[in-house]
């Protein structure tokens, strides 16, 4: 199912203002009720979350290269793994607007987010460049999440991972307001993306390139999707 068309792009552009206002409030209030999240994002020595240890196990490089797609103004990734630093490249299509919000709030981020639409990742980065390609609560805000995920898979080193962490069926939950135009869900263990216009089974679509392991955390309505890129025999 092709995701991108003129209408989805127009809806996405129309929702930008709502997203910017959310982050303006969040930054000025230092996270508000999510103050711990704000503190973690600002911590330059924060270890990576425990559930990411499995996907980083076996990385022998002295410095781990990570790409955070749709990072927002402050990446949520931890900055160190077992005494080794993560060299994080954080990108977001609204990065220039977030720079203004950070200046307004007097915040200097430990990792600066730079501009790139997820749909254009391959235009900026070389294939097989990162030990970890990551996105949290962002791709269901895009205009073509299928294209983004396919490009994320292309940017991960063979044998390494793309990790997605998103609310389940966020489009439905948010009644398709603002940038919330897509639903990420599981169907008999498969990872699917859908809305009223159609449905794509990502497990089937990526079967020749990767294996996908999905976990749903009911209490948080949170999906953890681990996509292990196949190592191609040379």
């Amino acid at each position: 199912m092709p995701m991108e068309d003129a209408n989805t792009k127009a809806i996405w552009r129309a929702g930008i203002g709502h997203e910017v206002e959310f982050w303006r409030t969040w930054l000025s209030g230092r996270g508000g009720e999510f103050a711990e999240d704000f503190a973690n994002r600002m911590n330059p020595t924060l270890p990576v979350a425990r559930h990411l240890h499995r996907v980083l196990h076996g990385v022998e490089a002295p410095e781990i290269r990570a790409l955070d797609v749709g990072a927002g103004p402050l990446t949520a990734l931890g900055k160190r793994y077992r005494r080794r630093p993560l060299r994080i490249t954080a990108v977001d299509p609204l990065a220039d607007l977030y720079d203004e919000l950070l200046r307004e709030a007097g915040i200097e981020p430990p990792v600066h987010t730079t501009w790139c639409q997820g749909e254009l990742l391959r235009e900026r980065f070389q294939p097989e460049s990162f030990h970890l390609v990551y996105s949290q609560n962002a791709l269901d805000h895009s205009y073509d999440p299928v294209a983004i995920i396919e490009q994320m898979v292309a940017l991960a080193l063979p044998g390494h991972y793309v990790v997605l962490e998103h609310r389940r069926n966020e489009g439905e939950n948010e009644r398709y307001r603002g940038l919330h135009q897509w639903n990420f869900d599981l169907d008999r263990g498969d990872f699917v993306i859908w809305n009223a216009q159609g449905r794509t089974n990502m497990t089937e679509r990526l079967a020749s390139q990767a294996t996908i392991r999905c976990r749903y955390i009911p209490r948080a309505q949170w999906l953890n999707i681990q996509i292990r890129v196949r190592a191609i025999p040379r």
Side-chain angles (χ1 to χ4, degrees), residues 47-109:
V48 298
R50 286 188 176 275
H51 65 272
L52 292 177
H53 280 218
R54 176 181 177 273
V55 304
L56 293 174
H57 179 73
V59 177
E60 297 179 356
E63 185 178 63
I64 298 168
R65 299 190 302 276
L67 175 66
D68 186 355
V69 179
L74 297 171
T75 177
L77 273 173
K79 313 304 185 294
R80 299 189 69 81
Y81 169 69
R82 294 183 176 174
R83 300 184 181 180
R84 283 180 290 166
L86 267 67
R87 188 174 76 188
I88 301 172
T89 302
V91 298
D92 196 289
L94 306 184
D96 295 343
L97 297 173
Y98 294 150
D99 282 346
E100 296 178 15
L101 300 185
L102 289 164
R103 284 193 293 270
E104 288 176 12
I107 295 170
E108 183 64 34

Side-chain angles (χ1 to χ4, degrees), residues 5 17 23 25 27 93 103 105 124-125 130 140 159 161 168 206 233:
D5 59 31
W23 283 111
T25 301
L27 290 168
R103 284 193 293 270
R124 175 169 174 187
F125 301 105
F130 298 95
D140 51 359
Y161 284 84
R168 189 175 191 177
L206 296 173

